[in-house]
Amino acid sequence: MRVLGIETSCDETGVALYDTAQGLLADALFSQIDLHATYGGVVPELASRDHIRKLIPLIREVMAKANLTLSDLDGIAYTAGPGLIGALLVGATLGRSLASGLNIPSLAVHHMEGHLLAPMLETPAPDFPFIALLVSGGHTQLVQVEGVGQYTLLGESVDDAAGEAFDKAAKMMQLGYPGGPKLAALATQGTQGRFRFPRPMTDRPGLDFSFSGLKTHTLTTLKQLETEGRLDEQARADVAFAFQDAVVDTLVIKCKRALKQTGLKRLVIAGGVSANVQLRERLAEVMSGLQGEVFYPRPAYCTDNGAMIAHIGALRMAAGEHDSNELSALRPRWPLWELHPPAANA
């Protein structure tokens, strides 16, 4: 079954073609980073307009890469949430309209389910069951995964997501947009041990996260250094190192707890922050010590992309899922654990 995937949840326009027999056939992505950099963050209306401009050219590009035509498609999947409502509307409208014109089914897909199962695009792919750490700009969650659509929330952030904290800390240091990757790059020049930041909520039981206090601690440290006249480039790098080390250490501690609590030996990391090099290295060490396995998507599939949408769309459509004749409601907020296994909705 060949399924075209459309991703427009935020500021990246992604399109991909996935075949259940052959795997990923082609994908293309357009990032709006340059568009939003002037404003220091995503402007929803501008994001929506740019999706309108880029989607059809990207679809043509993907079909040409695969040496196929639209008549070769068996279905179209699009992101229906969570995300920015205007951006979601662009992808959903085009996806539904194109499917109707081709007389093939369409399917609304959960953005975070796409991220969650993105490591399955790799070889080797993780087997079920496993623990998943979904860590991005909008989400930080630990999920027990028994199968497609079988998700149990173990813990989540009670305030800022880890990626959001990265971006806000980067903004405090005036690193520009997007902040997270720039802070991680600056941290590589930092001095280990000059500052030690707190590891939030690790001194109490449970699997929830909190990064708001860490963000405040970072701001306080920067202001103190500035007041003392010591906020030079090396100090910024040292603060970046301490901040990243605290976030990574917190994520690692909670992952270890989740694995111990469930007795599982497989860990999946997905979402934009899963591309962080220090996080990958630390978790690889942990899983080696536990004689377990850790799985990640390649860096290109850590951030938003069409491949993950085409993939999960193909899995669910192959099981018989598709949209009803009525326009599916978009879900800017859509808890992952409200999903069901494909057979339950077929």
Side-chain angles (χ1 to χ4, degrees), residues 10-11 32-33 35-44 46 171 176-178:
C10 191
D11 62 336
Q32 300 177 5
I33 286 177
L35 174 66
H36 300 288
T38 303
Y39 307 97
V42 178
V43 181
L46 295 181
K171 192 170 185 178
Y177 175 83

Side-chain angles (χ1 to χ4, degrees), residues 151-225:
Y151 312 127
T152 301
L153 180 69
L154 301 177
E156 63 181 337
S157 178
V158 299
D159 42 55
D160 291 352
E164 181 182 5
F166 261 97
D167 289 339
K168 289 180 177 178
K171 192 170 185 178
M172 297 172 195
M173 297 182 213
Q174 301 178 332
L175 297 180
Y177 175 83
K182 292 187 176 183
L183 187 149
L186 181 60
T188 62
Q189 304 169 36
T191 305
Q192 184 175 4
R194 179 177 178 185
F195 302 104
R196 179 173 171 79
F197 286 7
R199 275 60 172 158
M201 296 182 71
T202 58
D203 59 349
R204 66 188 75 175
L207 296 172
D208 285 336
F209 303 87
S210 172
F211 296 105
S212 181
L214 181 58
K215 177 186 64 180
T216 302
H217 187 89
T218 303
L219 180 61
T220 301
T221 303
L222 289 168
K223 285 185 174 180
Q224 182 178 346
L225 288 167

Side-chain angles (χ1 to χ4, degrees), residues 57-221:
L58 286 177
I59 290 173
R60 288 173 175 159
E61 179 182 340
V62 164
M63 299 310 298
K65 283 181 178 179
N67 198 27
L68 296 170
T69 66
L70 292 176
S71 61
D72 295 310
L73 296 177
D74 298 306
I76 297 176
Y78 58 89
T79 302
L84 302 174
I85 185 64
L88 293 170
L89 186 61
V90 174
T93 301
L94 181 58
R96 292 287 301 246
S97 300
L98 189 57
S100 177
L102 295 170
N103 196 29
I104 57 177
S106 63
L107 181 65
V109 166
H110 193 292
H111 177 77
M112 295 310 295
E113 184 174 38
H115 274 304
L116 178 69
L117 300 183
M120 292 188 167
L121 290 165
E122 309 298 342
T123 302
D127 294 323
F128 298 116
F130 54 77
I131 295 297
L133 173 65
L134 286 174
V135 57
S136 67
H139 298 80
T140 301
Q141 298 174 333
L142 277 166
V143 182
Q144 184 170 342
V145 181
E146 299 293 334
V148 177
Q150 297 176 276
Y151 312 127
T152 301
L153 180 69
L154 301 177
E156 63 181 337
S157 178
V158 299
D159 42 55
D160 291 352
E164 181 182 5
F166 261 97
D167 289 339
K168 289 180 177 178
K171 192 170 185 178
M172 297 172 195
M173 297 182 213
Q174 301 178 332
L175 297 180
Y177 175 83
K182 292 187 176 183
L183 187 149
L186 181 60
T188 62
Q189 304 169 36
T191 305
Q192 184 175 4
R194 179 177 178 185
F195 302 104
R196 179 173 171 79
F197 286 7
R199 275 60 172 158
M201 296 182 71
T202 58
D203 59 349
R204 66 188 75 175
L207 296 172
D208 285 336
F209 303 87
S210 172
F211 296 105
S212 181
L214 181 58
K215 177 186 64 180
T216 302
H217 187 89
T218 303
L219 180 61
T220 301
T221 303

